[in-house]
Amino acid sequence: MMSLILIALGVLGAIALVAALVLYVCSKKFAVEEDPRLGLVTEALPGANCGGCGFPGCGGLADALVKAADAGSLEGLNCPVGGAETMGKVADLLGMAVANTEPTVAVVRCNGTCELRTKVCEYSGLRTCAAMHATGAGETACGYGCLGCGDCVAACSFDAIHMNEETGLPEVDEDKCTSCGACVKACPRNIIQLRRKGPKNRRVYVQCVNKEKGAVALKGCKAACIGCGKCLKECQFDAITIADNLSYIDDKKCKLCRKCVSVCPTQAIIAVNFPPAKDKKETAQ
């Protein structure tokens, strides 16, 4: 009986030994060597895993950066959370140069406050922007404006956007905003956009996305862009275009002169972080 047990143990031991040898050979033959730079780059990234770079987390961006370095250029790759400082560290690790990218911030292109947009119906379904948008135009006469349910707030991992209960619109805290783009993706009406912060954080943009013709747009919201073209005629820098009854300001061409702001009949163009304009009477004195 004892001999049978010893034989069984010997057979099992032999099988285990052979299996171990096979696994060892396979591990050596099919081993995938990881580039040591990958770990260094991943460690240099902020670890937010927000997806704002267009890749599935910081690991995906790190892999893309290492491959891009091998190809000879990091152009087009950027970490919006870490910004220029992080990308500079990554470039140093990879022995590459990185282009200077201007910081951006999320802006809400809707000024349709509760006072400016007439409420035409009551929505009683699932209280999310995605659900409300899928079922119709929402509760106001503007089928392009903010729905006010806060999908953008829920999507933000940095507490950088909140709903203003008085206006019914989201507001971005530009000091906290990392430009990850999560709020942009969450908005079903494409109201939120990433734009350049601009010099001294000053920006000029059209705070409307309504593509209806003038009279129809105004019926939905008193602050809607009516595509009248006055801003286009006033701009000397070719920064404004009009398409589908809607004006758009190119932040790369805009010189922040604000002439378009003063001629807009519906005040649909907004200037952010500028000092208050001096009274003409005070200037004359």
Side-chain angles (χ1 to χ4, degrees), residues 105-106 156 158-162 170-179 197 203:
V105 67
C156 182
F158 305 97
D159 193 37
I161 188 165
H162 299 93
E171 294 180 348
V172 177
D173 184 337
E174 58 186 67
D175 292 328
K176 292 183 178 180
C177 180
T178 62
S179 295
K197 277 192 172 182
R203 302 177 290 283

Side-chain angles (χ1 to χ4, degrees), residues 243-254:
D244 297 326
N245 309 305
L246 180 66
S247 294
Y248 180 79
I249 299 175
D250 187 336
D251 56 3
K252 294 179 181 178
K253 294 181 179 180
C254 179

Side-chain angles (χ1 to χ4, degrees), residues 17 86 160 214:
L17 181 61
T86 294

